[in-house]
Structure formats: structure tokens, C-alpha cells
């Protein structure tokens, strides 16, 4: 069964770039027809989709974050990554990585990582 | 514009049944959705995908007391024989070709 684990700094200064990595175990990131995604959740609030990447490198982003987000994949390390630039306190959240499953050409969230808290503060 | 609506809270007594409703915005009643459970201080867990015809695909180890159904724009998550460990937030989620939308979540309380 696939497992996902987020890692990265828990504290980022305002205006800097948030960088997180998701390590995939229990299967190759490049096998199968899957998208890999980042989702975040501010404390006490709901879930917000950030973006997704296919193993080919094709990406889609939430329009509200698109200008600041980059998602990439490293198949040699079985990892995918998130970079969010010019962060502010509003970007403080628990960040989750996830695997999306194909259903008739559409992809839904099927597996979640445990999440990692990122705080933006000076 | 695709939006999901959920009631903020639902409650039932131990052993009873509770329904959590997720409503798709106008014009999107044919959408399938997924349900996710989030217990306090934990990450979400996939429960099931529910098609607009009510057929559902459960996640690994999801108890039989969890079931899903659909009627028009409304999707329902039913928890039968409610247990104390079912106290959690429940989120519905849907998708387009290249975007994803989450509902605001429903907090289920076991009385």
C-alpha cells in the first residue's frame, strides 16, 4: 500500500520561499496512471487544493496560488516537491501531499500523507 | 462555478445513525464526489468515492457502517451504528478536468 511522507522546514520567514518534499513508498512514483498533489489546511479551517503533477511533469495549479506555486517530480528519488514563493502569514498551514486516482479520466484524492505544519513568521 | 455545501454540524447518539449531506452547486448534479474523514489533530483519510448513481468505492479498512448515496445534487454519507471513534470532521470533495474543490466540512458529534 502506498505511503506518503511530507518533509521540510517548519518555519519560514515572510517573503521567502516555502519548500516541501513528499517521499512516496510502497510503489514507484512513475508507475501507474496517477497524479500527485499538494493540499493545505490552515488551523481550524477547511482544505484547500494547491496543485497537482503527473509523472510526465504536467502540472495544474489552483488559480488563486498559481503565480507563486511550482510543483516538480524527481522520479529517481521517488519524490515530488512544492515551492511556494513570497509567503505571508496567510500561508501558515498544515501541508498535505496526496496521490490521486483515475476514475474515467478524472482524478480524485485517494491517499493522504500525515501532513506537516509550516509556520510563516519572522 | 463548482461549489460544495455542507451543514456545519451533525449529531446522533451512540449506536444510532447520522447522515452528512453534501450539495453540489447548480448545474453540477452529475458530478461524483469523494468523502474524507479527519479526526482531531490527524490528517484526512479517504472513506469512499460516490458516483451520481449512488455506487460507491470504499477505501481500505473502512467499516461497513459507512455508506454513501446520491440523489440529484445531494450526496449523503451515512454512518450506521455510530461509534465514539466516528467523532470527526467529514469533508466532501469533487473535481473538474484540472481542479479540485472541497466542501467546508461537517463536524459529527456522538452524543
Amino acid at each position: 500500500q502506498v505511503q506518503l511522507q511530507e518533509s521540510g522546514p517548519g518555519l519560514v520567514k515572510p517573503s521567502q520561499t516555502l519548500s516541501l518534499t513528499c517521499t512516496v513508498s510502497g510503489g514507484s512514483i512513475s508507475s501507474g496512471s496517477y497524479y500527485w498533489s499538494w493540499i493545505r489546511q490552515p488551523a481550524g479551517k477547511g482544505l484547500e487544493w494547491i496543485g497537482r503533477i503527473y509523472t510526465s511533469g504536467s502540472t495544474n495549479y489552483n488559480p488563486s496560488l498559481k503565480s507563486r506555486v511550482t510543483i516538480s517530480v524527481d522520479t529517481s528519488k521517488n519524490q515530488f516537491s512544492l515551492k511556494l514563493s513570497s509567503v505571508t502569514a496567510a500561508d501558515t498551514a498544515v501541508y498535505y501531499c496526496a496521490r490521486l486516482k483515475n476514475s474515467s479520466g478524472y482524478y480524485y484524492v485517494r491517499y493522504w500523507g500525515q501532513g506537516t505544519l509550516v509556520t510563516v513568521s519572522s | 462555478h463548482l461549489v460544495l455545501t455542507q451543514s456545519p454540524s451533525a449529531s446522533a447518539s451512540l449506536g444510532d445513525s447520522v447522515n452528512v449531506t453534501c450539495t453540489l452547486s447548480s448545474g453540477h448534479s452529475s458530478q461524483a464526489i469523494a468523502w474524507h474523514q479527519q479526526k482531531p489533530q490527524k490528517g484526512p483519510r479517504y472513506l469512499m468515492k460516490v458516483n451520481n448513481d449512488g455506487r460507491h468505492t470504499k477505501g481500505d479498512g473502512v467499516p461497513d457502517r459507512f455508506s454513501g448515496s446520491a440523489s440529484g445534487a445531494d450526496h449523503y454519507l451515512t454512518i450506521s451504528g455510530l461509534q465514539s471513534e466516528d467523532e470527526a470532521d467529514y469533508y466532501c470533495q469533487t473535481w473538474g478536468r484540472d481542479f479540485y474543490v472541497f466542501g467546508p466540512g461537517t463536524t459529527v458529534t456522538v452524543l
Side-chain angles (χ1 to χ4, degrees), chain A residues 41 52 96 100 103 105-107 110 112, chain B residues 36 38 44 46 49 60 91 95 97-98 100:
Chain A
Q41 184 175 36
R52 70 176 189 180
Y96 297 98
L100 311 182
S103 174
Y106 292 85
Y107 291 78
R110 176 62 182 85
W112 295 82
Chain B
H36 304 277
Q38 186 176 32
Y46 166 80
K49 178 176 78 73
D60 306 324
Y91 292 92
W95 48 89
R97 273 292 177 191
D98 58 7
Y100 296 83

mmCIF file with all atom_site columns, all heavy atoms in Angstrom, chain A residues 41 52 96 100 103 105-107 110 112, chain B residues 36 38 44 46 49 60 91 95 97-98 100:
data_model
loop_
_atom_site.group_PDB
_atom_site.id
_atom_site.type_symbol
_atom_site.label_atom_id
_atom_site.label_alt_id
_atom_site.label_comp_id
_atom_site.label_asym_id
_atom_site.label_entity_id
_atom_site.label_seq_id
_atom_site.pdbx_PDB_ins_code
_atom_site.Cartn_x
_atom_site.Cartn_y
_atom_site.Cartn_z
_atom_site.occupancy
_atom_site.B_iso_or_equiv
_atom_site.pdbx_formal_charge
_atom_site.auth_seq_id
_atom_site.auth_comp_id
_atom_site.auth_asym_id
_atom_site.auth_atom_id
_atom_site.pdbx_PDB_model_num
ATOM 1   N N   . GLN A 1 41  ? -4.165  23.150 4.833   1.00 0.00 ? 41  GLN A N   1
ATOM 2   C CA  . GLN A 1 41  ? -5.260  23.395 5.769   1.00 0.00 ? 41  GLN A CA  1
ATOM 3   C C   . GLN A 1 41  ? -4.787  24.343 6.870   1.00 0.00 ? 41  GLN A C   1
ATOM 4   O O   . GLN A 1 41  ? -4.057  23.918 7.775   1.00 0.00 ? 41  GLN A O   1
ATOM 5   C CB  . GLN A 1 41  ? -5.751  22.071 6.375   1.00 0.00 ? 41  GLN A CB  1
ATOM 6   C CG  . GLN A 1 41  ? -6.949  22.222 7.292   1.00 0.00 ? 41  GLN A CG  1
ATOM 7   C CD  . GLN A 1 41  ? -7.462  20.878 7.773   1.00 0.00 ? 41  GLN A CD  1
ATOM 8   O OE1 . GLN A 1 41  ? -6.693  19.956 8.012   1.00 0.00 ? 41  GLN A OE1 1
ATOM 9   N NE2 . GLN A 1 41  ? -8.777  20.753 7.911   1.00 0.00 ? 41  GLN A NE2 1
ATOM 10  N N   . ARG A 1 52  ? -1.314  19.916 -8.669  1.00 0.00 ? 52  ARG A N   1
ATOM 11  C CA  . ARG A 1 52  ? -1.017  18.511 -8.909  1.00 0.00 ? 52  ARG A CA  1
ATOM 12  C C   . ARG A 1 52  ? -0.008  18.394 -10.029 1.00 0.00 ? 52  ARG A C   1
ATOM 13  O O   . ARG A 1 52  ? 0.155   19.305 -10.851 1.00 0.00 ? 52  ARG A O   1
ATOM 14  C CB  . ARG A 1 52  ? -2.291  17.748 -9.277  1.00 0.00 ? 52  ARG A CB  1
ATOM 15  C CG  . ARG A 1 52  ? -2.839  18.118 -10.642 1.00 0.00 ? 52  ARG A CG  1
ATOM 16  C CD  . ARG A 1 52  ? -4.059  17.287 -11.041 1.00 0.00 ? 52  ARG A CD  1
ATOM 17  N NE  . ARG A 1 52  ? -4.414  17.548 -12.458 1.00 0.00 ? 52  ARG A NE  1
ATOM 18  C CZ  . ARG A 1 52  ? -5.425  16.979 -13.083 1.00 0.00 ? 52  ARG A CZ  1
ATOM 19  N NH1 . ARG A 1 52  ? -6.206  16.111 -12.454 1.00 0.00 ? 52  ARG A NH1 1
ATOM 20  N NH2 . ARG A 1 52  ? -5.676  17.272 -14.343 1.00 0.00 ? 52  ARG A NH2 1
ATOM 21  N N   . TYR A 1 96  ? -0.387  18.938 3.168   1.00 0.00 ? 96  TYR A N   1
ATOM 22  C CA  . TYR A 1 96  ? -0.516  17.511 2.906   1.00 0.00 ? 96  TYR A CA  1
ATOM 23  C C   . TYR A 1 96  ? -0.117  17.192 1.471   1.00 0.00 ? 96  TYR A C   1
ATOM 24  O O   . TYR A 1 96  ? -0.456  17.941 0.553   1.00 0.00 ? 96  TYR A O   1
ATOM 25  C CB  . TYR A 1 96  ? -1.961  17.046 3.087   1.00 0.00 ? 96  TYR A CB  1
ATOM 26  C CG  . TYR A 1 96  ? -2.515  17.197 4.476   1.00 0.00 ? 96  TYR A CG  1
ATOM 27  C CD1 . TYR A 1 96  ? -3.311  18.287 4.819   1.00 0.00 ? 96  TYR A CD1 1
ATOM 28  C CD2 . TYR A 1 96  ? -2.268  16.239 5.460   1.00 0.00 ? 96  TYR A CD2 1
ATOM 29  C CE1 . TYR A 1 96  ? -3.836  18.428 6.085   1.00 0.00 ? 96  TYR A CE1 1
ATOM 30  C CE2 . TYR A 1 96  ? -2.788  16.377 6.739   1.00 0.00 ? 96  TYR A CE2 1
ATOM 31  C CZ  . TYR A 1 96  ? -3.565  17.465 7.042   1.00 0.00 ? 96  TYR A CZ  1
ATOM 32  O OH  . TYR A 1 96  ? -4.082  17.606 8.309   1.00 0.00 ? 96  TYR A OH  1
ATOM 33  N N   . LEU A 1 100 ? -3.549  10.925 -6.303  1.00 0.00 ? 100 LEU A N   1
ATOM 34  C CA  . LEU A 1 100 ? -4.864  10.980 -6.933  1.00 0.00 ? 100 LEU A CA  1
ATOM 35  C C   . LEU A 1 100 ? -5.060  9.747  -7.805  1.00 0.00 ? 100 LEU A C   1
ATOM 36  O O   . LEU A 1 100 ? -4.146  9.303  -8.484  1.00 0.00 ? 100 LEU A O   1
ATOM 37  C CB  . LEU A 1 100 ? -4.987  12.240 -7.793  1.00 0.00 ? 100 LEU A CB  1
ATOM 38  C CG  . LEU A 1 100 ? -4.563  13.556 -7.142  1.00 0.00 ? 100 LEU A CG  1
ATOM 39  C CD1 . LEU A 1 100 ? -4.789  14.713 -8.096  1.00 0.00 ? 100 LEU A CD1 1
ATOM 40  C CD2 . LEU A 1 100 ? -5.275  13.779 -5.835  1.00 0.00 ? 100 LEU A CD2 1
ATOM 41  N N   . SER A 1 103 ? -10.430 7.910  -12.300 1.00 0.00 ? 103 SER A N   1
ATOM 42  C CA  . SER A 1 103 ? -11.767 7.350  -12.416 1.00 0.00 ? 103 SER A CA  1
ATOM 43  C C   . SER A 1 103 ? -12.404 7.929  -13.675 1.00 0.00 ? 103 SER A C   1
ATOM 44  O O   . SER A 1 103 ? -12.864 9.068  -13.684 1.00 0.00 ? 103 SER A O   1
ATOM 45  C CB  . SER A 1 103 ? -12.611 7.690  -11.190 1.00 0.00 ? 103 SER A CB  1
ATOM 46  O OG  . SER A 1 103 ? -13.955 7.255  -11.365 1.00 0.00 ? 103 SER A OG  1
ATOM 47  N N   . GLY A 1 105 ? -11.102 9.022  -16.349 1.00 0.00 ? 105 GLY A N   1
ATOM 48  C CA  . GLY A 1 105 ? -10.439 10.211 -16.870 1.00 0.00 ? 105 GLY A CA  1
ATOM 49  C C   . GLY A 1 105 ? -10.361 11.373 -15.900 1.00 0.00 ? 105 GLY A C   1
ATOM 50  O O   . GLY A 1 105 ? -9.689  12.367 -16.170 1.00 0.00 ? 105 GLY A O   1
ATOM 51  N N   . TYR A 1 106 ? -11.067 11.273 -14.788 1.00 0.00 ? 106 TYR A N   1
ATOM 52  C CA  . TYR A 1 106 ? -10.970 12.275 -13.736 1.00 0.00 ? 106 TYR A CA  1
ATOM 53  C C   . TYR A 1 106 ? -10.204 11.670 -12.559 1.00 0.00 ? 106 TYR A C   1
ATOM 54  O O   . TYR A 1 106 ? -10.193 10.461 -12.364 1.00 0.00 ? 106 TYR A O   1
ATOM 55  C CB  . TYR A 1 106 ? -12.364 12.724 -13.281 1.00 0.00 ? 106 TYR A CB  1
ATOM 56  C CG  . TYR A 1 106 ? -13.090 13.501 -14.342 1.00 0.00 ? 106 TYR A CG  1
ATOM 57  C CD1 . TYR A 1 106 ? -13.815 12.849 -15.337 1.00 0.00 ? 106 TYR A CD1 1
ATOM 58  C CD2 . TYR A 1 106 ? -13.041 14.884 -14.362 1.00 0.00 ? 106 TYR A CD2 1
ATOM 59  C CE1 . TYR A 1 106 ? -14.474 13.563 -16.323 1.00 0.00 ? 106 TYR A CE1 1
ATOM 60  C CE2 . TYR A 1 106 ? -13.705 15.606 -15.344 1.00 0.00 ? 106 TYR A CE2 1
ATOM 61  C CZ  . TYR A 1 106 ? -14.422 14.944 -16.320 1.00 0.00 ? 106 TYR A CZ  1
ATOM 62  O OH  . TYR A 1 106 ? -15.071 15.648 -17.297 1.00 0.00 ? 106 TYR A OH  1
ATOM 63  N N   . TYR A 1 107 ? -9.561  12.523 -11.788 1.00 0.00 ? 107 TYR A N   1
ATOM 64  C CA  . TYR A 1 107 ? -8.701  12.032 -10.710 1.00 0.00 ? 107 TYR A CA  1
ATOM 65  C C   . TYR A 1 107 ? -9.195  12.571 -9.363  1.00 0.00 ? 107 TYR A C   1
ATOM 66  O O   . TYR A 1 107 ? -9.472  13.764 -9.237  1.00 0.00 ? 107 TYR A O   1
ATOM 67  C CB  . TYR A 1 107 ? -7.262  12.483 -10.940 1.00 0.00 ? 107 TYR A CB  1
ATOM 68  C CG  . TYR A 1 107 ? -6.612  11.798 -12.118 1.00 0.00 ? 107 TYR A CG  1
ATOM 69  C CD1 . TYR A 1 107 ? -6.893  12.187 -13.420 1.00 0.00 ? 107 TYR A CD1 1
ATOM 70  C CD2 . TYR A 1 107 ? -5.730  10.740 -11.915 1.00 0.00 ? 107 TYR A CD2 1
ATOM 71  C CE1 . TYR A 1 107 ? -6.303  11.542 -14.495 1.00 0.00 ? 107 TYR A CE1 1
ATOM 72  C CE2 . TYR A 1 107 ? -5.134  10.096 -12.987 1.00 0.00 ? 107 TYR A CE2 1
ATOM 73  C CZ  . TYR A 1 107 ? -5.426  10.499 -14.268 1.00 0.00 ? 107 TYR A CZ  1
ATOM 74  O OH  . TYR A 1 107 ? -4.841  9.865  -15.319 1.00 0.00 ? 107 TYR A OH  1
ATOM 75  N N   . ARG A 1 110 ? -7.032  9.934  -3.228  1.00 0.00 ? 110 ARG A N   1
ATOM 76  C CA  . ARG A 1 110 ? -7.213  8.563  -2.742  1.00 0.00 ? 110 ARG A CA  1
ATOM 77  C C   . ARG A 1 110 ? -6.332  8.255  -1.535  1.00 0.00 ? 110 ARG A C   1
ATOM 78  O O   . ARG A 1 110 ? -6.737  7.528  -0.642  1.00 0.00 ? 110 ARG A O   1
ATOM 79  C CB  . ARG A 1 110 ? -6.917  7.586  -3.890  1.00 0.00 ? 110 ARG A CB  1
ATOM 80  C CG  . ARG A 1 110 ? -6.979  6.113  -3.512  1.00 0.00 ? 110 ARG A CG  1
ATOM 81  C CD  . ARG A 1 110 ? -8.343  5.728  -3.048  1.00 0.00 ? 110 ARG A CD  1
ATOM 82  N NE  . ARG A 1 110 ? -8.410  4.334  -2.644  1.00 0.00 ? 110 ARG A NE  1
ATOM 83  C CZ  . ARG A 1 110 ? -8.089  3.894  -1.441  1.00 0.00 ? 110 ARG A CZ  1
ATOM 84  N NH1 . ARG A 1 110 ? -7.654  4.756  -0.525  1.00 0.00 ? 110 ARG A NH1 1
ATOM 85  N NH2 . ARG A 1 110 ? -8.170  2.612  -1.154  1.00 0.00 ? 110 ARG A NH2 1
ATOM 86  N N   . TRP A 1 112 ? -3.575  10.022 1.424   1.00 0.00 ? 112 TRP A N   1
ATOM 87  C CA  . TRP A 1 112 ? -3.075  11.234 2.043   1.00 0.00 ? 112 TRP A CA  1
ATOM 88  C C   . TRP A 1 112 ? -1.785  10.964 2.807   1.00 0.00 ? 112 TRP A C   1
ATOM 89  O O   . TRP A 1 112 ? -1.612  9.885  3.388   1.00 0.00 ? 112 TRP A O   1
ATOM 90  C CB  . TRP A 1 112 ? -4.087  11.777 3.053   1.00 0.00 ? 112 TRP A CB  1
ATOM 91  C CG  . TRP A 1 112 ? -5.382  12.243 2.514   1.00 0.00 ? 112 TRP A CG  1
ATOM 92  C CD1 . TRP A 1 112 ? -6.478  11.473 2.194   1.00 0.00 ? 112 TRP A CD1 1
ATOM 93  C CD2 . TRP A 1 112 ? -5.773  13.597 2.269   1.00 0.00 ? 112 TRP A CD2 1
ATOM 94  N NE1 . TRP A 1 112 ? -7.506  12.276 1.769   1.00 0.00 ? 112 TRP A NE1 1
ATOM 95  C CE2 . TRP A 1 112 ? -7.108  13.586 1.807   1.00 0.00 ? 112 TRP A CE2 1
ATOM 96  C CE3 . TRP A 1 112 ? -5.124  14.826 2.403   1.00 0.00 ? 112 TRP A CE3 1
ATOM 97  C CZ2 . TRP A 1 112 ? -7.803  14.754 1.476   1.00 0.00 ? 112 TRP A CZ2 1
ATOM 98  C CZ3 . TRP A 1 112 ? -5.814  15.984 2.073   1.00 0.00 ? 112 TRP A CZ3 1
ATOM 99  C CH2 . TRP A 1 112 ? -7.140  15.941 1.612   1.00 0.00 ? 112 TRP A CH2 1
ATOM 100 N N   . HIS B 2 36  ? -14.038 12.294 2.849   1.00 0.00 ? 36  HIS B N   1
ATOM 101 C CA  . HIS B 2 36  ? -12.822 12.122 3.633   1.00 0.00 ? 36  HIS B CA  1
ATOM 102 C C   . HIS B 2 36  ? -13.143 12.397 5.099   1.00 0.00 ? 36  HIS B C   1
ATOM 103 O O   . HIS B 2 36  ? -13.925 13.302 5.412   1.00 0.00 ? 36  HIS B O   1
ATOM 104 C CB  . HIS B 2 36  ? -11.734 13.089 3.153   1.00 0.00 ? 36  HIS B CB  1
ATOM 105 C CG  . HIS B 2 36  ? -11.411 12.960 1.701   1.00 0.00 ? 36  HIS B CG  1
ATOM 106 N ND1 . HIS B 2 36  ? -10.532 12.012 1.221   1.00 0.00 ? 36  HIS B ND1 1
ATOM 107 C CD2 . HIS B 2 36  ? -11.866 13.643 0.629   1.00 0.00 ? 36  HIS B CD2 1
ATOM 108 C CE1 . HIS B 2 36  ? -10.455 12.120 -0.102  1.00 0.00 ? 36  HIS B CE1 1
ATOM 109 N NE2 . HIS B 2 36  ? -11.267 13.099 -0.489  1.00 0.00 ? 36  HIS B NE2 1
ATOM 110 N N   . GLN B 2 38  ? -11.637 13.308 8.926   1.00 0.00 ? 38  GLN B N   1
ATOM 111 C CA  . GLN B 2 38  ? -10.486 13.871 9.630   1.00 0.00 ? 38  GLN B CA  1
ATOM 112 C C   . GLN B 2 38  ? -10.772 13.906 11.121  1.00 0.00 ? 38  GLN B C   1
ATOM 113 O O   . GLN B 2 38  ? -11.597 14.690 11.587  1.00 0.00 ? 38  GLN B O   1
ATOM 114 C CB  . GLN B 2 38  ? -10.145 15.267 9.125   1.00 0.00 ? 38  GLN B CB  1
ATOM 115 C CG  . GLN B 2 38  ? -8.859  15.824 9.733   1.00 0.00 ? 38  GLN B CG  1
ATOM 116 C CD  . GLN B 2 38  ? -8.455  17.168 9.158   1.00 0.00 ? 38  GLN B CD  1
ATOM 117 O OE1 . GLN B 2 38  ? -9.296  17.983 8.777   1.00 0.00 ? 38  GLN B OE1 1
ATOM 118 N NE2 . GLN B 2 38  ? -7.148  17.416 9.090   1.00 0.00 ? 38  GLN B NE2 1
ATOM 119 N N   . PRO B 2 44  ? -6.416  13.919 7.022   1.00 0.00 ? 44  PRO B N   1
ATOM 120 C CA  . PRO B 2 44  ? -7.615  13.301 6.444   1.00 0.00 ? 44  PRO B CA  1
ATOM 121 C C   . PRO B 2 44  ? -7.354  11.859 6.008   1.00 0.00 ? 44  PRO B C   1
ATOM 122 O O   . PRO B 2 44  ? -6.226  11.455 5.742   1.00 0.00 ? 44  PRO B O   1
ATOM 123 C CB  . PRO B 2 44  ? -7.912  14.187 5.228   1.00 0.00 ? 44  PRO B CB  1
ATOM 124 C CG  . PRO B 2 44  ? -7.196  15.462 5.479   1.00 0.00 ? 44  PRO B CG  1
ATOM 125 C CD  . PRO B 2 44  ? -5.974  15.083 6.235   1.00 0.00 ? 44  PRO B CD  1
ATOM 126 N N   . TYR B 2 46  ? -9.212  9.000  3.302   1.00 0.00 ? 46  TYR B N   1
ATOM 127 C CA  . TYR B 2 46  ? -10.203 8.743  2.263   1.00 0.00 ? 46  TYR B CA  1
ATOM 128 C C   . TYR B 2 46  ? -11.180 7.686  2.743   1.00 0.00 ? 46  TYR B C   1
ATOM 129 O O   . TYR B 2 46  ? -10.791 6.610  3.218   1.00 0.00 ? 46  TYR B O   1
ATOM 130 C CB  . TYR B 2 46  ? -9.491  8.259  0.997   1.00 0.00 ? 46  TYR B CB  1
ATOM 131 C CG  . TYR B 2 46  ? -10.396 7.642  -0.054  1.00 0.00 ? 46  TYR B CG  1
ATOM 132 C CD1 . TYR B 2 46  ? -11.140 8.441  -0.913  1.00 0.00 ? 46  TYR B CD1 1
ATOM 133 C CD2 . TYR B 2 46  ? -10.480 6.260  -0.195  1.00 0.00 ? 46  TYR B CD2 1
ATOM 134 C CE1 . TYR B 2 46  ? -11.953 7.874  -1.884  1.00 0.00 ? 46  TYR B CE1 1
ATOM 135 C CE2 . TYR B 2 46  ? -11.287 5.683  -1.159  1.00 0.00 ? 46  TYR B CE2 1
ATOM 136 C CZ  . TYR B 2 46  ? -12.016 6.497  -2.002  1.00 0.00 ? 46  TYR B CZ  1
ATOM 137 O OH  . TYR B 2 46  ? -12.830 5.930  -2.960  1.00 0.00 ? 46  TYR B OH  1
ATOM 138 N N   . LYS B 2 49  ? -15.531 7.006  -2.685  1.00 0.00 ? 49  LYS B N   1
ATOM 139 C CA  . LYS B 2 49  ? -15.984 7.814  -3.814  1.00 0.00 ? 49  LYS B CA  1
ATOM 140 C C   . LYS B 2 49  ? -17.402 7.401  -4.110  1.00 0.00 ? 49  LYS B C   1
ATOM 141 O O   . LYS B 2 49  ? -17.721 6.203  -4.099  1.00 0.00 ? 49  LYS B O   1
ATOM 142 C CB  . LYS B 2 49  ? -15.094 7.594  -5.036  1.00 0.00 ? 49  LYS B CB  1
ATOM 143 C CG  . LYS B 2 49  ? -15.548 8.383  -6.260  1.00 0.00 ? 49  LYS B CG  1
ATOM 144 C CD  . LYS B 2 49  ? -14.589 8.198  -7.410  1.00 0.00 ? 49  LYS B CD  1
ATOM 145 C CE  . LYS B 2 49  ? -14.760 6.890  -8.139  1.00 0.00 ? 49  LYS B CE  1
ATOM 146 N NZ  . LYS B 2 49  ? -15.964 6.850  -8.983  1.00 0.00 ? 49  LYS B NZ  1
ATOM 147 N N   . ASP B 2 60  ? -9.489  1.342  1.899   1.00 0.00 ? 60  ASP B N   1
ATOM 148 C CA  . ASP B 2 60  ? -9.045  0.168  2.639   1.00 0.00 ? 60  ASP B CA  1
ATOM 149 C C   . ASP B 2 60  ? -9.470  0.252  4.101   1.00 0.00 ? 60  ASP B C   1
ATOM 150 O O   . ASP B 2 60  ? -9.246  1.262  4.763   1.00 0.00 ? 60  ASP B O   1
ATOM 151 C CB  . ASP B 2 60  ? -7.515  0.055  2.565   1.00 0.00 ? 60  ASP B CB  1
ATOM 152 C CG  . ASP B 2 60  ? -7.019  0.067  1.130   1.00 0.00 ? 60  ASP B CG  1
ATOM 153 O OD1 . ASP B 2 60  ? -7.691  -0.499 0.258   1.00 0.00 ? 60  ASP B OD1 1
ATOM 154 O OD2 . ASP B 2 60  ? -5.947  0.666  0.890   1.00 0.00 ? 60  ASP B OD2 1
ATOM 155 N N   . TYR B 2 91  ? -15.368 15.747 5.188   1.00 0.00 ? 91  TYR B N   1
ATOM 156 C CA  . TYR B 2 91  ? -15.284 16.650 4.047   1.00 0.00 ? 91  TYR B CA  1
ATOM 157 C C   . TYR B 2 91  ? -15.704 15.922 2.771   1.00 0.00 ? 91  TYR B C   1
ATOM 158 O O   . TYR B 2 91  ? -15.257 14.801 2.519   1.00 0.00 ? 91  TYR B O   1
ATOM 159 C CB  . TYR B 2 91  ? -13.856 17.153 3.851   1.00 0.00 ? 91  TYR B CB  1
ATOM 160 C CG  . TYR B 2 91  ? -13.354 18.074 4.942   1.00 0.00 ? 91  TYR B CG  1
ATOM 161 C CD1 . TYR B 2 91  ? -12.673 17.574 6.043   1.00 0.00 ? 91  TYR B CD1 1
ATOM 162 C CD2 . TYR B 2 91  ? -13.552 19.452 4.851   1.00 0.00 ? 91  TYR B CD2 1
ATOM 163 C CE1 . TYR B 2 91  ? -12.214 18.419 7.041   1.00 0.00 ? 91  TYR B CE1 1
ATOM 164 C CE2 . TYR B 2 91  ? -13.092 20.305 5.855   1.00 0.00 ? 91  TYR B CE2 1
ATOM 165 C CZ  . TYR B 2 91  ? -12.433 19.778 6.937   1.00 0.00 ? 91  TYR B CZ  1
ATOM 166 O OH  . TYR B 2 91  ? -11.972 20.623 7.925   1.00 0.00 ? 91  TYR B OH  1
ATOM 167 N N   . TRP B 2 95  ? -14.250 17.334 -8.326  1.00 0.00 ? 95  TRP B N   1
ATOM 168 C CA  . TRP B 2 95  ? -13.144 17.677 -9.214  1.00 0.00 ? 95  TRP B CA  1
ATOM 169 C C   . TRP B 2 95  ? -13.656 18.002 -10.608 1.00 0.00 ? 95  TRP B C   1
ATOM 170 O O   . TRP B 2 95  ? -14.749 17.604 -11.016 1.00 0.00 ? 95  TRP B O   1
ATOM 171 C CB  . TRP B 2 95  ? -12.169 16.505 -9.303  1.00 0.00 ? 95  TRP B CB  1
ATOM 172 C CG  . TRP B 2 95  ? -12.868 15.200 -9.558  1.00 0.00 ? 95  TRP B CG  1
ATOM 173 C CD1 . TRP B 2 95  ? -13.187 14.643 -10.768 1.00 0.00 ? 95  TRP B CD1 1
ATOM 174 C CD2 . TRP B 2 95  ? -13.376 14.303 -8.562  1.00 0.00 ? 95  TRP B CD2 1
ATOM 175 N NE1 . TRP B 2 95  ? -13.852 13.472 -10.577 1.00 0.00 ? 95  TRP B NE1 1
ATOM 176 C CE2 . TRP B 2 95  ? -13.992 13.224 -9.251  1.00 0.00 ? 95  TRP B CE2 1
ATOM 177 C CE3 . TRP B 2 95  ? -13.385 14.300 -7.164  1.00 0.00 ? 95  TRP B CE3 1
ATOM 178 C CZ2 . TRP B 2 95  ? -14.588 12.158 -8.582  1.00 0.00 ? 95  TRP B CZ2 1
ATOM 179 C CZ3 . TRP B 2 95  ? -13.974 13.237 -6.496  1.00 0.00 ? 95  TRP B CZ3 1
ATOM 180 C CH2 . TRP B 2 95  ? -14.567 12.176 -7.197  1.00 0.00 ? 95  TRP B CH2 1
ATOM 181 N N   . ARG B 2 97  ? -11.700 18.792 -14.733 1.00 0.00 ? 97  ARG B N   1
ATOM 182 C CA  . ARG B 2 97  ? -10.598 18.236 -15.501 1.00 0.00 ? 97  ARG B CA  1
ATOM 183 C C   . ARG B 2 97  ? -9.248  18.566 -14.875 1.00 0.00 ? 97  ARG B C   1
ATOM 184 O O   . ARG B 2 97  ? -8.325  17.763 -14.883 1.00 0.00 ? 97  ARG B O   1
ATOM 185 C CB  . ARG B 2 97  ? -10.624 18.775 -16.934 1.00 0.00 ? 97  ARG B CB  1
ATOM 186 C CG  . ARG B 2 97  ? -11.491 17.985 -17.872 1.00 0.00 ? 97  ARG B CG  1
ATOM 187 C CD  . ARG B 2 97  ? -10.929 16.598 -18.134 1.00 0.00 ? 97  ARG B CD  1
ATOM 188 N NE  . ARG B 2 97  ? -11.815 15.800 -18.983 1.00 0.00 ? 97  ARG B NE  1
ATOM 189 C CZ  . ARG B 2 97  ? -11.655 14.501 -19.173 1.00 0.00 ? 97  ARG B CZ  1
ATOM 190 N NH1 . ARG B 2 97  ? -10.667 13.863 -18.593 1.00 0.00 ? 97  ARG B NH1 1
ATOM 191 N NH2 . ARG B 2 97  ? -12.495 13.846 -19.954 1.00 0.00 ? 97  ARG B NH2 1
ATOM 192 N N   . ASP B 2 98  ? -9.137  19.771 -14.308 1.00 0.00 ? 98  ASP B N   1
ATOM 193 C CA  . ASP B 2 98  ? -7.835  20.187 -13.789 1.00 0.00 ? 98  ASP B CA  1
ATOM 194 C C   . ASP B 2 98  ? -7.940  21.016 -12.527 1.00 0.00 ? 98  ASP B C   1
ATOM 195 O O   . ASP B 2 98  ? -7.103  21.888 -12.285 1.00 0.00 ? 98  ASP B O   1
ATOM 196 C CB  . ASP B 2 98  ? -7.049  20.956 -14.853 1.00 0.00 ? 98  ASP B CB  1
ATOM 197 C CG  . ASP B 2 98  ? -7.790  22.180 -15.358 1.00 0.00 ? 98  ASP B CG  1
ATOM 198 O OD1 . ASP B 2 98  ? -8.854  22.511 -14.783 1.00 0.00 ? 98  ASP B OD1 1
ATOM 199 O OD2 . ASP B 2 98  ? -7.314  22.819 -16.309 1.00 0.00 ? 98  ASP B OD2 1
ATOM 200 N N   . TYR B 2 100 ? -9.738  21.011 -8.195  1.00 0.00 ? 100 TYR B N   1
ATOM 201 C CA  . TYR B 2 100 ? -10.359 20.256 -7.119  1.00 0.00 ? 100 TYR B CA  1
ATOM 202 C C   . TYR B 2 100 ? -11.047 21.221 -6.159  1.00 0.00 ? 100 TYR B C   1
ATOM 203 O O   . TYR B 2 100 ? -10.536 22.315 -5.902  1.00 0.00 ? 100 TYR B O   1
ATOM 204 C CB  . TYR B 2 100 ? -9.310  19.421 -6.376  1.00 0.00 ? 100 TYR B CB  1
ATOM 205 C CG  . TYR B 2 100 ? -8.715  18.382 -7.285  1.00 0.00 ? 100 TYR B CG  1
ATOM 206 C CD1 . TYR B 2 100 ? -7.683  18.710 -8.155  1.00 0.00 ? 100 TYR B CD1 1
ATOM 207 C CD2 . TYR B 2 100 ? -9.251  17.093 -7.345  1.00 0.00 ? 100 TYR B CD2 1
ATOM 208 C CE1 . TYR B 2 100 ? -7.186  17.777 -9.047  1.00 0.00 ? 100 TYR B CE1 1
ATOM 209 C CE2 . TYR B 2 100 ? -8.752  16.157 -8.227  1.00 0.00 ? 100 TYR B CE2 1
ATOM 210 C CZ  . TYR B 2 100 ? -7.719  16.504 -9.085  1.00 0.00 ? 100 TYR B CZ  1
ATOM 211 O OH  . TYR B 2 100 ? -7.241  15.589 -9.978  1.00 0.00 ? 100 TYR B OH  1
#
